[in-house]
Amino acid sequence: MSQGTGESIIPRAGYTLPVFACASAIAALERLLHPDKSVSTVSINLINPDETTEMPVEQVAMLPDGSALAITRSDPGDNLDLTRHTPVWAVVAWGDEVQSEQIRLEGGDGIGRQARVANQAAIYRYAQTLLIENLRPLLSENQRIRVTVILPEGRSLALRTSNAAFGVVDGLSLLGTSGISAPLSAPGQLGVFRQTVCEKAKQFDALVFCVGENGLDRAISLGLNPEQRIKTANWLGPLLIEAALCGVRSILLLGYHGKLIKLAGGIFHTHHHIADGRQEILAAIAAAQGLATTDVQQLLKASTVEAGLAHLRMLDTTQKTEWVKHIYSTLVERIDTRAMAYIQTHTEQPARTVAVGSIVFDRQREIIAVSDRGQAFQQSLW
């Protein structure tokens, strides 16, 4: 982080894991093409955003089998990110005559496997595009290569994530849609978010708090005014207070149920490093609604709240019940109530007259439930 005299700390952005995998691959290919060439930095087109950056390379070497290895080290910026400083390896070898594609991407040790998709390497679209678009210009038309990405610490780091609950096992994913790792979880970023809230409050007395990119995108698809959106990341509690202090009269919370459910349990910083309890909150509400004990236990044992939701949907389908409706309707009303109480507890008059409504969606961005206030706010924001 950087800090000027008398100025607040400005969080430093970094890069996502696919960028370091790409940097290692470029460096390894450069060594494969030019064995005597020294490679200390490489130039990468990030694709998204459309800009080029220079990336340091830690080590490069030819291997006995004729392939080349390069190593970079992850730097996610001022984020709470468990991949900080982890080494990222890429081995580049010449392809054989039966290889159809010019660039074949493979996941080595520490790269997760998608257990639900034929054990494919967890190298997703942005990472694939980034690697191919940066490597292809370095090759002649008839050259073929194999690129193997390795995360030596990937298996152990994966044990500290919820990857397995989403079908990714034995390592980490090369995931993301951008090359920039914005410091949304860094403490210094809170000041930036607060400033944005107060600037928006000068224009609107109602705001839409969107938890992450999914919330921002879903707000647009719902027809909400894009100018009234605020990306909150995990700072929901402080930003609710800031909105109240800046004179906002109503707030619509829009986000993934696996995040917003924490508010129903009084957790107002939603990063998993701070607190969890999602399954417990869902199970408690379900029990209060009269769900059978065996099914409540299933919710408690569920690997994620998404899995818990799937269980409730299964009950509705097989037993012709409406548990999702009953439980999630209660959930969103509880989110509203706890959020408004939080504002009242942490502010003084006249900032206490803030109404909060909520909309929660599932992993496919399908709306699960809308609170009564959320429904009214949504109509007023069209």
Side-chain angles (χ1 to χ4, degrees), residues 16 29 46-47 56 64 97 100 128 153 165 213 234 254 350 360 364:
T16 56
L29 178 56
L46 298 179
I47 309 297
E97 62 278 1
S100 58
Q128 294 175 15
E153 300 172 354
E213 294 292 337
N234 291 297
L254 174 62
V360 297
Q364 284 69 48

Side-chain angles (χ1 to χ4, degrees), residues 230-248:
I230 295 285
K231 184 175 180 179
T232 64
N234 291 297
W235 305 103
L236 282 167
L239 295 182
L240 285 168
I241 296 169
E242 192 70 23
L245 294 174
C246 291
V248 173

Side-chain angles (χ1 to χ4, degrees), residues 73-143:
R73 200 166 287 270
S74 173
D75 178 8
D78 292 334
N79 272 299
L80 295 173
D81 193 313
L82 56 80
T83 67
R84 181 181 309 282
H85 304 317
T86 194
V88 183
W89 298 9
V91 176
V92 178
W94 294 115
D96 54 36
E97 62 278 1
V98 299
Q99 180 176 317
S100 58
E101 65 271 49
Q102 186 175 30
I103 300 169
R104 175 176 294 175
L105 303 178
E106 299 176 348
D109 190 46
I111 294 292
R113 296 179 293 105
Q114 300 177 66
R116 300 170 187 169
V117 191
N119 277 334
Q120 291 181 11
I123 303 175
Y124 293 95
R125 182 174 300 176
Y126 172 70
Q128 294 175 15
T129 301
L130 186 68
L131 282 155
I132 291 171
E133 292 302 316
N134 277 277
L135 295 174
R136 183 181 288 140
L138 303 177
L139 298 169
S140 65
E141 186 176 348
N142 62 345
Q143 288 178 320

Side-chain angles (χ1 to χ4, degrees), residues 61-380:
M62 292 297 297
L63 299 179
D65 64 358
S67 63
L69 165 69
I71 301 172
T72 57
R73 200 166 287 270
S74 173
D75 178 8
D78 292 334
N79 272 299
L80 295 173
D81 193 313
L82 56 80
T83 67
R84 181 181 309 282
H85 304 317
T86 194
V88 183
W89 298 9
V91 176
V92 178
W94 294 115
D96 54 36
E97 62 278 1
V98 299
Q99 180 176 317
S100 58
E101 65 271 49
Q102 186 175 30
I103 300 169
R104 175 176 294 175
L105 303 178
E106 299 176 348
D109 190 46
I111 294 292
R113 296 179 293 105
Q114 300 177 66
R116 300 170 187 169
V117 191
N119 277 334
Q120 291 181 11
I123 303 175
Y124 293 95
R125 182 174 300 176
Y126 172 70
Q128 294 175 15
T129 301
L130 186 68
L131 282 155
I132 291 171
E133 292 302 316
N134 277 277
L135 295 174
R136 183 181 288 140
L138 303 177
L139 298 169
S140 65
E141 186 176 348
N142 62 345
Q143 288 178 320
R144 301 284 184 270
I145 58 172
R146 296 194 321 275
V147 179
T148 304
V149 180
I150 299 169
L151 297 176
E153 300 172 354
R155 288 177 182 266
S156 59
L157 291 175
L159 297 176
R160 297 163 56 189
T161 74
S162 57
N163 282 6
F166 300 105
V168 177
V169 298
D170 296 338
L172 298 175
S173 305
L174 293 186
L175 185 63
T177 58
S178 169
I180 302 296
S181 177
L184 300 180
S185 58
Q189 184 66 24
L190 179 56
V192 177
F193 281 126
R194 280 176 166 159
Q195 182 178 354
T196 302
V197 167
C198 281
E199 289 173 355
K200 292 285 186 180
K202 295 175 183 177
Q203 306 173 58
F204 308 102
D205 62 4
L207 296 177
V208 183
F209 277 16
C210 302
V211 185
E213 294 292 337
N214 285 335
L216 289 172
D217 294 342
R218 197 64 178 92
I220 296 297
S221 66
L222 288 172
L224 304 178
N225 181 0
E227 296 301 316
Q228 291 174 260
R229 299 175 302 163
I230 295 285
K231 184 175 180 179
T232 64
N234 291 297
W235 305 103
L236 282 167
L239 295 182
L240 285 168
I241 296 169
E242 192 70 23
L245 294 174
C246 291
V248 173
R249 301 301 299 273
S250 59
I251 299 168
L252 176 62
L253 301 173
L254 174 62
Y256 176 57
H257 69 124
K259 282 286 189 181
L260 286 181
I261 192 173
K262 293 187 178 184
L263 274 63
I267 300 169
F268 284 86
H269 189 302
T270 58
H271 199 286
H272 65 275
H273 285 301
I274 304 300
D276 204 331
R278 291 168 289 182
Q279 288 91 326
E280 290 82 356
I281 295 167
L282 182 61
I285 293 174
Q289 291 295 305
L291 186 67
T293 300
T294 54
D295 292 308
V296 172
Q297 291 171 342
Q298 285 293 320
L299 299 184
L300 278 172
K301 292 188 296 183
S303 56
T304 63
V305 287
E306 190 78 11
L309 173 62
H311 181 72
L312 294 174
R313 284 173 166 165
M314 182 274 294
L315 293 177
D316 285 351
T317 300
T318 58
Q319 300 179 10
K320 308 302 180 184
T321 53
E322 293 186 327
W323 286 117
V324 172
K325 177 182 177 181
H326 295 319
I327 293 168
Y328 274 84
S329 293
T330 302
L331 172 66
V332 290
E333 297 299 336
R334 187 170 177 82
I335 289 171
D336 293 359
T337 301
R338 294 300 290 265
M340 290 186 290
Y342 187 88
I343 293 171
Q344 290 177 344
T345 299
H346 294 89
T347 59
E348 298 177 353
Q349 292 286 4
R352 294 186 176 181
T353 56
V354 181
V356 178
S358 55
I359 302 175
V360 297
F361 52 77
D362 63 16
R363 190 159 290 279
Q364 284 69 48
R365 300 185 186 179
E366 294 297 323
I367 301 297
I368 308 170
V370 183
S371 70
D372 291 341
R373 289 186 185 86
Q375 183 68 44
F377 293 170
Q378 181 180 351
Q379 292 172 352
S380 69

